[in-house]
Amino acid sequence: MIWVAILIGILLLFSFPKQMGILIGVVAVGCGATYLYSEAEKSKKIKQIEAVIVTVSFNTKYCSEEFPIFVNIKNRSNKIVEKVSWGINAYRKGYSSNVADNNYFREYSSDKILNTGQHFGVCYKVPPLSGTLNPKDLNWLAVNKSIDFKQRQAQ
């Protein structure tokens, strides 16, 4: 069936070359403008997500011995954050392999509403680690961050 549309398009192009050229040009400009707008919006969204910073550390100053993993969430975006989700990886100093147990995948999240410039801290248990490693000697990293921003209210 697509071949019929192509055949009709070719016939129209030869029958009305000037009009079809203008139509093709207008369609190409419209597609290009749509693509550029889409890319600009995607870039804007990525910048907003990157402006929400999630840091993970082993910290018994702010957290208890039972829950020593301190997660700090900072909203440096210009939007209100409604929910943040992330995973936690742990690395031995100088190594690139995650030592947090690969069979233990847990998504952490916080639904603490954060306005621009606000931050929030929360403490967690140490996830299972492969081997006998001391959690305070590891580098901790938040991974797979996902942000839900407050949608604008209809007026």
Side-chain angles (χ1 to χ4, degrees):
M1 203 53 157
I2 186 97
W3 62 272
V4 173
I6 292 171
L7 184 60
I8 291 171
I10 292 171
L11 288 173
L12 287 172
L13 184 60
F14 284 113
S15 299
F16 307 101
K18 185 176 181 182
Q19 293 85 350
M20 289 301 292
I22 292 171
L23 178 63
I24 290 170
V26 168
V27 169
V29 168
C31 289
T34 302
Y35 174 77
L36 290 175
Y37 177 77
S38 172
E39 287 299 309
E41 286 297 310
K42 185 166 48 169
S43 175
K44 186 177 171 183
K45 185 174 182 179
I46 289 170
K47 286 180 182 177
Q48 290 293 333
I49 290 170
E50 288 174 349
V52 177
I53 300 166
V54 180
T55 56
V56 182
S57 62
F58 184 90
N59 191 327
T60 53
K61 179 180 175 184
Y62 294 118
C63 301
S64 68
E65 292 287 331
E66 186 180 357
F67 298 92
I69 302 300
F70 179 66
V71 177
N72 191 31
I73 305 165
K74 296 178 188 173
N75 182 10
R76 293 185 178 164
S77 75
N78 60 6
K79 293 186 172 188
I80 297 171
V81 172
E82 288 193 333
K83 183 177 181 184
V84 181
S85 301
W86 67 93
I88 294 178
N89 283 0
Y91 301 93
R92 292 183 295 155
K93 289 179 174 62
Y95 291 87
S96 61
S97 296
N98 177 26
V99 295
D101 191 348
N102 291 334
N103 294 324
Y104 178 83
F105 175 77
R106 176 174 176 193
E107 183 179 271
Y108 298 84
S109 67
S110 170
D111 63 351
K112 173 73 173 151
I113 295 173
L114 297 173
N115 292 310
T116 300
Q118 288 186 318
H119 66 94
F120 173 71
V122 63
C123 300
Y124 292 99
K125 285 187 175 186
V126 174
L129 303 172
S130 57
T132 55
L133 301 167
N134 189 338
K136 68 181 173 185
D137 295 333
L138 300 174
N139 293 322
W140 295 89
L141 181 66
V143 296
N144 303 324
K145 176 177 67 172
S146 173
I147 313 294
D148 292 343
F149 293 103
K150 184 174 183 173
Q151 300 298 315
R152 293 183 183 179
Q153 298 292 331
Q155 294 185 16

